[in-house]
Amino acid sequence: MKISRRRLLAGFSCGVLTSQLPSLSLAESEDGMFDLVAGPSRQRLYLPDAPSSDLWTYNGYAPGPEIRVKKGERVQVRFTNKLEEPTSVHWHGIRIENSMDGVSGLTQEPVEPGDTFVYDFVAPDAGTFWYHAHNKSWNQVARGLYGPLIVDEVEPVFERSNDITLVLDDWRLAGEGVLDVASLGSMMEWAHGGRLGNWLTVNGQSRPVTARVRGQTYRLRLINAANARVFEIDPNRFGATLIGFDGQSFTEPAKLDYAPLMLGPAQRVDLMVVAKSDFTIEEVSGDTPYPIAGFSVSDSETTEASRSDKKLQPNVLPSADLAKARRIRLQMTGGAMGGMIDIIYKGKKLQGDDFRTARQAWAFNGVANLAEEPFFEARQGETILVETVNRTAWVHAMHVHGHHFQILNRSGSDVDEGKPWRDTFLIGPDQTTEIAFVADNPGKWLFHCHMLEHAAAGMNTWFQVT
Ligand code: C2O
Ligand code: CU
């Protein structure tokens, strides 16, 4: 089966927006800890009269509960694993203490079925983050193990009711409501663009609509929780401006002067929109825009007018010392249409049938997946400049754990004026991207493609800060 994202999205163009946008539950127990339980559950993802789907979720629903704290606050999560396999929880984008990063096999032992693990960390930055399973993520995240983590400004800038989290996912359904689990380990897809779905949801609902108040200024926090899909969104179509990427807000709201905005797996974008009339967020990669979420706008006499000149206070991040930066070169190879390549996996060169049995298809500098030795070591405080060269035929979404970075340039040209901070960057075929960051967080950190099938099939490495 050949998967084309265009065709799949077009296949569901019935045009109407129906369900309500679920606002996600907030969990906090009496002792100040959030309780998070991973386990199997059933949920109606598909049409109202279709059977519900068998998922793996946090607290019974995908996305899991919205964990919401204030900047600088301590977050304590008592996590229990009620799955039948080990797992761990990663707090994506949080500049976190290494032992709390939640990477099974690197920063902690996986949490065995029936066991509990307490995550305890400080959220240093105000912004839009998320959490997800980090053990066999290609499987666990695809089945629903993810949720939003929102860190509020110390003095909130948006009214709580105008601050809306939208977690985007694309599910692969094999029939009415039936999650396609047979395709989960498809090596063919691992070596292509990853496992794309055919059913889009926002906060677990297809094409939800919510009622909003005219004249109010809304903050929309879009989180891409899909394994491999890049959502293409054009904020100009509904009059929105950009106020932040990947949990880091801008000094000034910015108008997107190119279109569309590519929201890669794991990336977030915060938008600001003044509700004037009904508006719809659409996915615009196909021939006809595909509605993702709708907002029906009407007047209200009871809601106070909100100011539209809102400005967020950016977080303070360590600025890179480019004059002293150490340059690390990372060459991406492999995948379908990438030609024959040599791959070292677990210290040995793969040959013939090995590729299939080891399930490896991609490499960074010729090495697939985690080696004994780190990809590089940095002294704490050192500026690292990573030059990533994509020699594959595919787009990738590279994520650095424990740090945010700035994109310096793409293939020689300056992009994204103001060099916004990110934790995940997209890189297209034949592109070269330079990023820089201060390696200020001690520990062992992953650097991997967030197309989760690519990571499993080799696009996964680690570095150490000492
Ligand atoms: Cu969203 Cu390795 O992370
Ligand atoms: Cu990739």
Side-chain angles (χ1 to χ4, degrees), residues 1-5 8-9 12 45-46 52-55 138-139 141-144 146 169-201 225-229 231 453:
M1 186 177 50
K2 185 96 181 77
I3 307 291
S4 129
R5 124 161 113 198
L8 282 172
L9 285 173
F12 291 91
L45 289 176
Y46 197 56
S52 49
S53 313
D54 282 309
L55 308 182
W138 55 274
N139 180 35
V141 175
R143 291 174 186 261
Y146 58 79
D169 196 4
D170 72 330
W171 305 85
R172 175 83 70 87
L173 301 181
E176 298 227 322
V178 182
L179 200 66
D180 179 352
V181 291
S183 65
L184 274 165
S186 156
M187 204 53 218
M188 203 271 285
E189 290 181 358
W190 287 25
H192 286 72
R195 181 171 174 275
L196 295 174
N198 53 12
W199 187 247
L200 302 189
T201 58
N227 272 34
R229 179 178 297 275
F231 287 92
E453 295 78 14

Side-chain angles (χ1 to χ4, degrees), residues 332 362 394-398 449-451 454-455 459:
M332 319 170 99
W362 309 88
W394 303 88
V395 65
H396 302 287
M398 292 295 291
C449 181
H450 220 288
M451 292 176 168
H454 291 177
M459 289 203 151

Side-chain angles (χ1 to χ4, degrees), residues 90-375:
H90 170 56
W91 311 93
H92 184 115
I94 301 289
R95 298 185 295 131
I96 202 167
E97 190 201 308
N98 191 251
S99 60
M100 293 292 135
D101 199 38
V103 178
S104 287
L106 186 74
T107 66
Q108 70 170 97
E109 289 302 317
V111 184
E112 294 297 327
D115 282 1
T116 289
F117 185 93
V118 176
Y119 290 97
D120 188 346
F121 57 92
V122 169
D125 300 322
T128 304
F129 302 92
W130 64 303
Y131 58 93
H132 62 81
H134 215 303
N135 188 36
K136 299 197 177 153
S137 317
W138 55 274
N139 180 35
Q140 297 189 351
V141 175
R143 291 174 186 261
L145 287 169
Y146 58 79
L149 169 55
I150 306 299
V151 184
D152 278 319
E153 286 73 28
V154 177
E155 296 289 339
V157 177
F158 288 79
E159 293 82 359
R160 182 62 191 81
S161 57
N162 290 358
D163 187 325
I164 306 166
T165 304
L166 302 160
V167 186
L168 278 47
D169 196 4
D170 72 330
W171 305 85
R172 175 83 70 87
L173 301 181
E176 298 227 322
V178 182
L179 200 66
D180 179 352
V181 291
S183 65
L184 274 165
S186 156
M187 204 53 218
M188 203 271 285
E189 290 181 358
W190 287 25
H192 286 72
R195 181 171 174 275
L196 295 174
N198 53 12
W199 187 247
L200 302 189
T201 58
V202 177
N203 296 357
Q205 286 288 322
S206 165
R207 300 176 159 191
V209 186
T210 43
R212 295 295 158 188
V213 176
R214 195 178 328 275
Q216 293 291 299
T217 303
Y218 291 97
R219 176 180 192 162
L220 307 177
R221 303 172 182 265
L222 273 60
I223 303 173
N224 182 355
N227 272 34
R229 179 178 297 275
V230 178
F231 287 92
E232 296 184 19
I233 311 270
D234 185 355
N236 291 320
R237 287 174 70 96
F238 51 98
T241 50
L242 277 62
I243 54 174
F245 280 144
D246 292 0
Q248 302 296 344
S249 53
F250 307 158
T251 327
E252 297 280 344
K255 196 174 164 333
L256 192 73
D257 58 3
Y258 56 92
L261 176 78
M262 312 278 277
L263 190 67
Q267 289 188 318
R268 286 88 67 211
V269 63
D270 282 34
L271 302 172
M272 182 167 85
V273 59
V274 180
K276 294 188 180 129
S277 52
D278 295 358
F279 65 97
T280 304
I281 304 179
E282 297 159 314
E283 211 288 343
V284 298
S285 65
D287 297 334
T288 25
Y290 180 92
I292 295 180
F295 300 84
S296 75
V297 175
S298 55
D299 295 308
S300 158
E301 274 161 19
T302 51
T303 315
E304 263 182 65
S306 64
R307 304 174 54 129
S308 59
D309 57 344
K310 294 181 182 298
K311 257 188 221 168
L312 296 166
Q313 184 75 49
N315 301 304
V316 179
L317 291 113
S319 57
D321 180 355
L322 293 177
K324 293 210 186 104
R326 186 146 61 90
R327 181 176 290 264
I328 309 285
R329 195 160 184 278
L330 182 150
Q331 177 160 266
M332 319 170 99
T333 53
M337 296 173 282
M340 286 302 290
I341 57 157
D342 284 341
I343 292 185
I344 309 282
Y345 177 60
K346 293 192 171 156
K348 118 174 200 299
K349 189 173 154 197
L350 296 182
Q351 277 165 331
D353 237 23
D354 295 348
F355 287 91
R356 199 171 43 77
T357 49
R359 304 181 63 76
Q360 299 298 301
W362 309 88
F364 291 157
N365 293 359
V367 178
N369 246 306
L370 304 189
E372 288 284 310
E373 294 295 307
F375 185 62

